[in-house]
Tab-separated table of all heavy atoms in Angstrom:
chain	number	residue	atom	x	y	z
A	13	ARG	N	-12.997	-20.905	21.271
A	13	ARG	CA	-13.332	-19.485	21.337
A	13	ARG	C	-12.549	-18.640	20.347
A	13	ARG	O	-12.632	-17.413	20.374
A	13	ARG	CB	-13.119	-18.971	22.763
A	13	ARG	CG	-14.037	-19.651	23.778
A	13	ARG	CD	-13.928	-19.010	25.135
A	13	ARG	NE	-14.841	-19.625	26.098
A	13	ARG	CZ	-14.994	-19.230	27.353
A	13	ARG	NH1	-14.288	-18.193	27.801
A	13	ARG	NH2	-15.838	-19.838	28.152
A	14	GLN	N	-11.784	-19.294	19.498
A	14	GLN	CA	-11.041	-18.589	18.455
A	14	GLN	C	-11.680	-18.903	17.106
A	14	GLN	O	-12.168	-20.005	16.869
A	14	GLN	CB	-9.572	-19.036	18.441
A	14	GLN	CG	-8.829	-18.788	19.744
A	14	GLN	CD	-8.547	-17.320	19.960
A	14	GLN	OE1	-8.404	-16.552	19.015
A	14	GLN	NE2	-8.473	-16.911	21.226
A	15	SER	N	-11.696	-17.933	16.211
A	15	SER	CA	-12.260	-18.150	14.884
A	15	SER	C	-11.439	-19.173	14.111
A	15	SER	O	-10.304	-19.511	14.488
A	15	SER	CB	-12.291	-16.830	14.115
A	15	SER	OG	-10.969	-16.416	13.800
A	16	VAL	N	-12.003	-19.647	13.014
A	16	VAL	CA	-11.260	-20.528	12.120
A	16	VAL	C	-9.955	-19.856	11.684
A	16	VAL	O	-8.881	-20.466	11.712
A	16	VAL	CB	-12.126	-20.887	10.897
A	16	VAL	CG1	-11.288	-21.539	9.795
A	16	VAL	CG2	-13.278	-21.797	11.312
A	17	LEU	N	-10.041	-18.592	11.311
A	17	LEU	CA	-8.858	-17.848	10.883
A	17	LEU	C	-7.793	-17.850	11.969
A	17	LEU	O	-6.608	-18.114	11.700
A	17	LEU	CB	-9.260	-16.412	10.539
A	17	LEU	CG	-8.138	-15.441	10.177
A	17	LEU	CD1	-7.433	-15.878	8.906
A	17	LEU	CD2	-8.686	-14.021	10.035
A	18	ASP	N	-8.179	-17.562	13.200
A	18	ASP	CA	-7.204	-17.492	14.290
A	18	ASP	C	-6.663	-18.869	14.656
A	18	ASP	O	-5.492	-18.999	15.045
A	18	ASP	CB	-7.823	-16.815	15.512
A	18	ASP	CG	-7.986	-15.318	15.324
A	18	ASP	OD1	-7.269	-14.750	14.489
A	18	ASP	OD2	-8.848	-14.721	16.010
A	19	ASN	N	-7.492	-19.910	14.558
A	19	ASN	CA	-6.996	-21.260	14.795
A	19	ASN	C	-5.872	-21.601	13.834
A	19	ASN	O	-4.841	-22.156	14.234
A	19	ASN	CB	-8.132	-22.276	14.651
A	19	ASN	CG	-8.796	-22.620	15.964
A	19	ASN	OD1	-8.332	-23.479	16.710
A	19	ASN	ND2	-9.894	-21.928	16.257
A	20	VAL	N	-6.067	-21.264	12.558
A	20	VAL	CA	-5.036	-21.564	11.560
A	20	VAL	C	-3.803	-20.698	11.790
A	20	VAL	O	-2.663	-21.164	11.702
A	20	VAL	CB	-5.594	-21.371	10.138
A	20	VAL	CG1	-4.515	-21.637	9.092
A	20	VAL	CG2	-6.787	-22.303	9.905
A	21	ARG	N	-4.020	-19.434	12.132
A	21	ARG	CA	-2.899	-18.532	12.387
A	21	ARG	C	-2.031	-19.024	13.551
A	21	ARG	O	-0.809	-18.911	13.526
A	21	ARG	CB	-3.427	-17.123	12.686
A	21	ARG	CG	-2.344	-16.044	12.672
A	21	ARG	CD	-2.869	-14.763	13.284
A	21	ARG	NE	-4.081	-14.309	12.612
A	21	ARG	CZ	-4.079	-13.545	11.520
A	21	ARG	NH1	-2.935	-13.163	10.997
A	21	ARG	NH2	-5.229	-13.161	10.977
A	22	ILE	N	-2.679	-19.572	14.583
A	22	ILE	CA	-1.937	-20.096	15.738
A	22	ILE	C	-0.952	-21.171	15.303
A	22	ILE	O	0.161	-21.262	15.818
A	22	ILE	CB	-2.926	-20.629	16.800
A	22	ILE	CG1	-3.621	-19.454	17.496
A	22	ILE	CG2	-2.207	-21.513	17.825
A	22	ILE	CD1	-4.804	-19.857	18.344
A	23	GLY	N	-1.357	-21.992	14.324
A	23	GLY	CA	-0.437	-23.011	13.825
A	23	GLY	C	0.829	-22.409	13.252
A	23	GLY	O	1.929	-22.930	13.459
A	24	GLY	N	0.692	-21.305	12.551
A	24	GLY	CA	1.862	-20.657	11.967
A	24	GLY	C	2.811	-20.091	12.995
A	24	GLY	O	4.015	-19.986	12.759
A	25	HIS	N	2.295	-19.725	14.157
A	25	HIS	CA	3.157	-19.163	15.197
A	25	HIS	C	4.123	-20.194	15.778
A	25	HIS	O	5.085	-19.829	16.451
A	25	HIS	CB	2.302	-18.556	16.313
A	25	HIS	CG	1.668	-17.256	15.916
A	25	HIS	ND1	0.468	-16.825	16.418
A	25	HIS	CD2	2.061	-16.285	15.041
A	25	HIS	CE1	0.148	-15.658	15.882
A	25	HIS	NE2	1.099	-15.312	15.043
A	26	ALA	N	3.857	-21.477	15.526
A	26	ALA	CA	4.770	-22.514	16.019
A	26	ALA	C	6.152	-22.390	15.399
A	26	ALA	O	7.141	-22.843	15.982
A	26	ALA	CB	4.195	-23.903	15.726
A	27	ARG	N	6.235	-21.776	14.215
A	27	ARG	CA	7.532	-21.613	13.551
A	27	ARG	C	8.007	-20.164	13.579
A	27	ARG	O	8.980	-19.810	12.914
A	27	ARG	CB	7.430	-22.079	12.089
A	27	ARG	CG	7.119	-23.552	11.913
A	27	ARG	CD	8.305	-24.435	12.261
A	27	ARG	NE	9.386	-24.276	11.311
A	27	ARG	CZ	9.499	-24.991	10.195
A	27	ARG	NH1	8.605	-25.886	9.877
A	27	ARG	NH2	10.533	-24.813	9.392
A	28	SER	N	7.345	-19.316	14.378
A	28	SER	CA	7.713	-17.906	14.431
A	28	SER	C	9.021	-17.698	15.194
A	28	SER	O	9.311	-18.405	16.159
A	28	SER	CB	6.594	-17.100	15.117
A	28	SER	OG	6.997	-15.769	15.344
A	29	ARG	N	9.799	-16.698	14.779
A	29	ARG	CA	11.045	-16.360	15.476
A	29	ARG	C	10.857	-15.214	16.464
A	29	ARG	O	11.779	-14.837	17.170
A	29	ARG	CB	12.125	-15.953	14.457
A	29	ARG	CG	12.538	-17.056	13.503
A	29	ARG	CD	13.651	-16.593	12.568
A	29	ARG	NE	13.216	-15.509	11.692
A	29	ARG	CZ	13.705	-14.273	11.727
A	29	ARG	NH1	14.624	-13.947	12.603
A	29	ARG	NH2	13.267	-13.355	10.883
A	30	SER	N	9.660	-14.637	16.506
A	30	SER	CA	9.450	-13.461	17.350
A	30	SER	C	9.339	-13.846	18.813
A	30	SER	O	9.092	-14.993	19.168
A	30	SER	CB	8.189	-12.720	16.912
A	30	SER	OG	7.043	-13.514	17.113
A	31	ASP	N	9.524	-12.839	19.682
A	31	ASP	CA	9.382	-13.033	21.113
A	31	ASP	C	8.602	-11.843	21.681
A	31	ASP	O	8.169	-10.951	20.932
A	31	ASP	CB	10.745	-13.181	21.796
A	31	ASP	CG	11.696	-12.047	21.451
A	31	ASP	OD1	11.212	-10.903	21.248
A	31	ASP	OD2	12.916	-12.279	21.379
A	32	PHE	N	8.418	-11.810	22.984
A	32	PHE	CA	7.587	-10.773	23.604
A	32	PHE	C	8.120	-9.373	23.305
A	32	PHE	O	7.366	-8.474	22.921
A	32	PHE	CB	7.514	-10.998	25.114
A	32	PHE	CG	6.759	-9.918	25.836
A	32	PHE	CD1	5.369	-9.870	25.789
A	32	PHE	CD2	7.428	-8.931	26.547
A	32	PHE	CE1	4.668	-8.866	26.444
A	32	PHE	CE2	6.737	-7.922	27.201
A	32	PHE	CZ	5.349	-7.897	27.153
A	33	VAL	N	9.439	-9.180	23.464
A	33	VAL	CA	10.028	-7.849	23.261
A	33	VAL	C	9.904	-7.422	21.796
A	33	VAL	O	9.523	-6.284	21.482
A	33	VAL	CB	11.495	-7.831	23.718
A	33	VAL	CG1	12.140	-6.484	23.386
A	33	VAL	CG2	11.587	-8.102	25.225
A	34	SER	N	10.226	-8.344	20.884
A	34	SER	CA	10.140	-8.028	19.454
A	34	SER	C	8.713	-7.668	19.055
A	34	SER	O	8.478	-6.728	18.293
A	34	SER	CB	10.629	-9.224	18.619
A	34	SER	OG	11.962	-9.541	18.934
A	35	ASP	N	7.746	-8.442	19.589
A	35	ASP	CA	6.345	-8.152	19.281
A	35	ASP	C	5.933	-6.789	19.841
A	35	ASP	O	5.214	-6.025	19.188
A	35	ASP	CB	5.435	-9.242	19.851
A	35	ASP	CG	5.569	-10.554	19.095
A	35	ASP	OD1	6.080	-10.533	17.963
A	35	ASP	OD2	5.164	-11.604	19.639
A	36	MET	N	6.365	-6.483	21.064
A	36	MET	CA	5.993	-5.234	21.706
A	36	MET	C	6.553	-4.036	20.934
A	36	MET	O	5.869	-3.013	20.764
A	36	MET	CB	6.512	-5.210	23.152
A	36	MET	CG	6.098	-3.970	23.941
A	36	MET	SD	6.674	-4.067	25.651
A	36	MET	CE	8.452	-4.073	25.417
A	37	LEU	N	7.780	-4.172	20.426
A	37	LEU	CA	8.404	-3.086	19.665
A	37	LEU	C	7.944	-3.053	18.210
A	37	LEU	O	8.210	-2.075	17.512
A	37	LEU	CB	9.928	-3.234	19.722
A	37	LEU	CG	10.561	-3.097	21.107
A	37	LEU	CD1	12.056	-3.381	21.040
A	37	LEU	CD2	10.297	-1.710	21.693
A	38	HIS	N	7.278	-4.134	17.800
A	38	HIS	CA	6.769	-4.240	16.433
A	38	HIS	C	7.882	-3.945	15.434
A	38	HIS	O	7.765	-3.082	14.550
A	38	HIS	CB	5.586	-3.282	16.224
A	38	HIS	CG	4.593	-3.802	15.235
A	38	HIS	ND1	4.089	-5.082	15.273
A	38	HIS	CD2	4.008	-3.207	14.156
A	38	HIS	CE1	3.234	-5.258	14.289
A	38	HIS	NE2	3.180	-4.144	13.580
A	39	LEU	N	8.976	-4.667	15.577
A	39	LEU	CA	10.145	-4.471	14.725
A	39	LEU	C	9.812	-4.807	13.266
A	39	LEU	O	8.901	-5.593	12.994
A	39	LEU	CB	11.285	-5.358	15.215
A	39	LEU	CG	11.787	-5.051	16.635
A	39	LEU	CD1	12.847	-6.057	17.046
A	39	LEU	CD2	12.332	-3.635	16.721
A	40	PRO	N	10.546	-4.203	12.332
A	40	PRO	CA	10.240	-4.426	10.908
A	40	PRO	C	10.227	-5.895	10.507
A	40	PRO	O	9.360	-6.328	9.739
A	40	PRO	CB	11.347	-3.648	10.186
A	40	PRO	CG	11.727	-2.565	11.154
A	40	PRO	CD	11.608	-3.191	12.516
A	41	TRP	N	11.195	-6.688	11.007
A	41	TRP	CA	11.222	-8.093	10.613
A	41	TRP	C	10.028	-8.853	11.182
A	41	TRP	O	9.554	-9.821	10.564
A	41	TRP	CB	12.546	-8.750	11.029
A	41	TRP	CG	12.752	-8.929	12.505
A	41	TRP	CD1	13.400	-8.084	13.349
A	41	TRP	CD2	12.318	-10.040	13.300
A	41	TRP	NE1	13.402	-8.584	14.622
A	41	TRP	CE2	12.752	-9.786	14.626
A	41	TRP	CE3	11.624	-11.211	13.040
A	41	TRP	CZ2	12.499	-10.676	15.674
A	41	TRP	CZ3	11.374	-12.094	14.077
A	41	TRP	CH2	11.806	-11.820	15.371
A	42	VAL	N	9.498	-8.401	12.334
A	42	VAL	CA	8.295	-9.024	12.897
A	42	VAL	C	7.099	-8.724	11.998
A	42	VAL	O	6.269	-9.605	11.720
A	42	VAL	CB	8.042	-8.534	14.333
A	42	VAL	CG1	6.709	-9.064	14.855
A	42	VAL	CG2	9.180	-8.959	15.249
A	43	ARG	N	6.992	-7.485	11.526
A	43	ARG	CA	5.901	-7.126	10.620
A	43	ARG	C	5.961	-7.948	9.336
A	43	ARG	O	4.940	-8.424	8.836
A	43	ARG	CB	5.934	-5.631	10.296
A	43	ARG	CG	5.591	-4.734	11.491
A	43	ARG	CD	5.242	-3.318	11.026
A	43	ARG	NE	6.366	-2.682	10.333
A	43	ARG	CZ	7.322	-1.989	10.943
A	43	ARG	NH1	7.304	-1.848	12.261
A	43	ARG	NH2	8.292	-1.420	10.242
A	44	ARG	N	7.173	-8.119	8.811
A	44	ARG	CA	7.316	-8.913	7.579
A	44	ARG	C	6.914	-10.365	7.823
A	44	ARG	O	6.278	-10.996	6.976
A	44	ARG	CB	8.757	-8.830	7.065
A	44	ARG	CG	9.131	-7.461	6.487
A	44	ARG	CD	10.435	-7.545	5.714
A	44	ARG	NE	11.558	-7.913	6.568
A	44	ARG	CZ	12.320	-7.030	7.234
A	44	ARG	NH1	12.055	-5.724	7.153
A	44	ARG	NH2	13.331	-7.444	7.969
A	45	GLU	N	7.288	-10.874	8.986
A	45	GLU	CA	6.937	-12.252	9.323
A	45	GLU	C	5.428	-12.420	9.444
A	45	GLU	O	4.848	-13.403	8.971
A	45	GLU	CB	7.628	-12.666	10.627
A	45	GLU	CG	7.540	-14.143	10.934
A	45	GLU	CD	8.363	-14.525	12.158
A	45	GLU	OE1	7.920	-14.215	13.287
A	45	GLU	OE2	9.447	-15.105	11.992
A	46	GLU	N	4.758	-11.450	10.067
A	46	GLU	CA	3.297	-11.508	10.218
A	46	GLU	C	2.599	-11.387	8.869
A	46	GLU	O	1.592	-12.072	8.620
A	46	GLU	CB	2.831	-10.388	11.162
A	46	GLU	CG	3.125	-10.652	12.631
A	46	GLU	CD	2.376	-11.863	13.155
A	46	GLU	OE1	1.177	-12.007	12.847
A	46	GLU	OE2	2.998	-12.677	13.855
A	47	GLU	N	3.124	-10.543	7.991
A	47	GLU	CA	2.536	-10.407	6.656
A	47	GLU	C	2.680	-11.706	5.870
A	47	GLU	O	1.746	-12.127	5.171
A	47	GLU	CB	3.209	-9.247	5.911
A	47	GLU	CG	2.842	-7.873	6.468
A	47	GLU	CD	3.719	-6.765	5.908
A	47	GLU	OE1	4.627	-7.087	5.090
A	47	GLU	OE2	3.519	-5.596	6.278
A	48	ALA	N	3.838	-12.341	5.988
A	48	ALA	CA	4.047	-13.620	5.301
A	48	ALA	C	3.112	-14.689	5.860
A	48	ALA	O	2.567	-15.508	5.110
A	48	ALA	CB	5.504	-14.063	5.450
A	49	LEU	N	2.909	-14.671	7.194
A	49	LEU	CA	1.999	-15.636	7.814
A	49	LEU	C	0.572	-15.413	7.336
A	49	LEU	O	-0.142	-16.374	7.022
A	49	LEU	CB	2.068	-15.519	9.336
A	49	LEU	CG	1.098	-16.399	10.137
A	49	LEU	CD1	1.282	-17.867	9.777
A	49	LEU	CD2	1.279	-16.179	11.632
A	50	ASP	N	0.145	-14.150	7.251
A	50	ASP	CA	-1.202	-13.856	6.761
A	50	ASP	C	-1.400	-14.399	5.348
A	50	ASP	O	-2.448	-14.981	5.030
A	50	ASP	CB	-1.453	-12.348	6.761
A	50	ASP	CG	-1.793	-11.822	8.146
A	50	ASP	OD1	-2.146	-12.634	9.013
A	50	ASP	OD2	-1.712	-10.593	8.343
A	51	THR	N	-0.394	-14.225	4.502
A	51	THR	CA	-0.477	-14.738	3.136
A	51	THR	C	-0.623	-16.256	3.138
A	51	THR	O	-1.453	-16.823	2.414
A	51	THR	CB	0.769	-14.327	2.336
A	51	THR	OG1	0.844	-12.899	2.289
A	51	THR	CG2	0.718	-14.884	0.918
A	52	THR	N	0.176	-16.921	3.976
A	52	THR	CA	0.123	-18.381	4.072
A	52	THR	C	-1.233	-18.851	4.585
A	52	THR	O	-1.823	-19.797	4.046
A	52	THR	CB	1.235	-18.899	5.002
A	52	THR	OG1	2.510	-18.577	4.436
A	52	THR	CG2	1.142	-20.404	5.204
A	53	VAL	N	-1.738	-18.191	5.625
A	53	VAL	CA	-3.008	-18.602	6.233
A	53	VAL	C	-4.149	-18.504	5.233
A	53	VAL	O	-4.953	-19.440	5.080
A	53	VAL	CB	-3.298	-17.758	7.493
A	53	VAL	CG1	-4.745	-17.949	7.940
A	53	VAL	CG2	-2.341	-18.147	8.611
A	54	TRP	N	-4.245	-17.389	4.519
A	54	TRP	CA	-5.339	-17.235	3.556
A	54	TRP	C	-5.185	-18.198	2.378
A	54	TRP	O	-6.189	-18.703	1.843
A	54	TRP	CB	-5.430	-15.792	3.083
A	54	TRP	CG	-6.074	-14.906	4.109
A	54	TRP	CD1	-5.458	-13.988	4.905
A	54	TRP	CD2	-7.459	-14.889	4.469
A	54	TRP	NE1	-6.375	-13.400	5.744
A	54	TRP	CE2	-7.609	-13.925	5.492
A	54	TRP	CE3	-8.581	-15.597	4.030
A	54	TRP	CZ2	-8.848	-13.640	6.082
A	54	TRP	CZ3	-9.810	-15.331	4.612
A	54	TRP	CH2	-9.940	-14.362	5.618
A	55	ARG	N	-3.951	-18.493	1.994
A	55	ARG	CA	-3.746	-19.479	0.926
A	55	ARG	C	-4.241	-20.853	1.368
A	55	ARG	O	-4.891	-21.572	0.593
A	55	ARG	CB	-2.258	-19.543	0.552
A	55	ARG	CG	-1.949	-20.519	-0.584
A	55	ARG	CD	-0.477	-20.533	-0.923
A	55	ARG	NE	0.332	-20.965	0.208
A	55	ARG	CZ	0.487	-22.245	0.564
A	55	ARG	NH1	-0.122	-23.205	-0.108
A	55	ARG	NH2	1.256	-22.571	1.578
A	56	LEU	N	-3.965	-21.216	2.620
A	56	LEU	CA	-4.414	-22.513	3.129
A	56	LEU	C	-5.930	-22.554	3.289
A	56	LEU	O	-6.565	-23.588	3.028
A	56	LEU	CB	-3.728	-22.816	4.463
A	56	LEU	CG	-2.230	-23.106	4.373
A	56	LEU	CD1	-1.620	-23.181	5.766
A	56	LEU	CD2	-1.972	-24.402	3.608
């Protein structure tokens, strides 16, 4: 039930350092991590 894009993105979350609180606050380092993951996912 997840798109191809989201399936690949889920793989990247296995190495993520974020947690529930960090995600909820949308801290700057979390945003940078998500942007880097997006770049990696589209490259793959």
Side-chain angles (χ1 to χ4, degrees):
R13 297 187 178 183
Q14 300 288 331
S15 69
V16 167
L17 175 64
D18 287 337
N19 266 276
V20 178
R21 192 193 304 274
I22 287 168
H25 286 150
R27 296 287 292 271
S28 172
R29 296 182 296 115
S30 65
D31 52 33
F32 176 76
V33 175
S34 300
D35 289 342
M36 184 177 64
L37 296 175
H38 211 48
L39 297 176
W41 69 266
V42 174
R43 292 197 299 272
R44 289 193 297 271
E45 191 174 75
E46 285 296 316
E47 289 169 359
L49 176 57
D50 281 343
T51 299
T52 297
V53 167
W54 283 106
R55 182 179 62 79
L56 291 171

